[in-house]
Amino acid sequence: MLPLSLLRTSQGHPILVELKNGDTYNGYLVSCDSWMNINLRKVIHTSKDGDQFWKVPECYVRGNTIKFLGIADEVIDLVQKEEQAQAQSSPAPRGRGDSRGGRGRGDRGGRGGDRGGRGGDRGGRGGERGGRGGSERGDRGGRGRGERGGRGRGQ
């Protein structure tokens, strides 16, 4: 279960937010983003000592100040059910790369392929055309100019 998927599923539900400075916010989650910045409505803000309370109609909490999030058990159950449904309906994962570069394995692409990525003999960060890595030929590549590019030392 990923934290952001849990947080997104919590939208519209009550949530407890404890900050690094000790203050707490209880309210309904309106929205969140990928940095865990959140918007709350119908908020009760409690001071660090717990002796002062403020009722606030809405507030914004920056994600890097959050220490703890308290989420209702019903929301956690919802997320688990959604993940199970997705696992049953989606095909097996294919990995990170394919035959045209990026991260992956195989004779083409990714680290060690021949069309990009790191290594291989056709470019990217290695291979006979330069960059990092080396080629099967051994006389080209490395960290510099091979036959057709790269940077730094080499041929």
Side-chain angles (χ1 to χ4, degrees):
M1 174 179 328
L2 296 172
L4 285 175
S5 65
L6 179 63
L7 202 54
R8 287 190 179 110
T9 306
S10 300
Q11 290 181 0
H13 291 77
I15 189 170
L16 164 78
V17 179
E18 184 176 338
L19 303 185
K20 291 177 183 176
N21 68 5
D23 288 1
T24 60
Y25 291 86
N26 284 294
Y28 289 88
L29 182 64
V30 176
S31 64
C32 64
D33 63 15
S34 58
W35 293 280
M36 218 174 277
N37 299 321
I38 60 175
N39 286 313
L40 299 171
R41 281 224 173 98
K42 298 180 183 175
V43 182
I44 297 176
H45 173 200
T46 308
S47 69
K48 178 180 181 179
D49 304 326
D51 58 348
Q52 293 180 333
F53 300 91
W54 297 274
K55 197 170 186 177
V56 184
E58 56 185 40
C59 73
Y60 173 85
V61 180
R62 187 177 164 121
N64 70 347
T65 63
I66 296 173
K67 174 177 157 184
F68 174 80
L69 291 171
I71 297 172
D73 290 335
E74 65 187 46
V75 175
I76 295 171
D77 294 339
L78 278 172
V79 172
Q80 289 174 342
K81 287 177 186 176
E82 286 177 7
E83 285 181 349
Q84 288 174 355
Q86 284 181 348
Q88 290 173 355
S89 66
S90 65
R94 295 183 59 209
R96 289 184 138 185
D98 63 356
S99 66
R100 295 280 176 170
R103 291 186 174 180
R105 294 187 177 175
D107 62 335
R108 295 179 172 211
R111 298 178 186 199
D114 67 349
R115 289 195 177 192
R118 298 181 187 169
D121 63 351
R122 281 192 172 177
R125 285 180 149 174
E128 71 181 15
R129 293 185 184 172
R132 295 182 188 167
S135 69
E136 294 175 14
R137 298 163 83 170
D139 59 343
R140 297 179 177 157
R143 190 180 201 20
R145 288 197 182 275
E147 182 179 271
R148 296 188 183 153
R151 62 184 189 269
R153 64 179 190 269
Q155 295 178 352

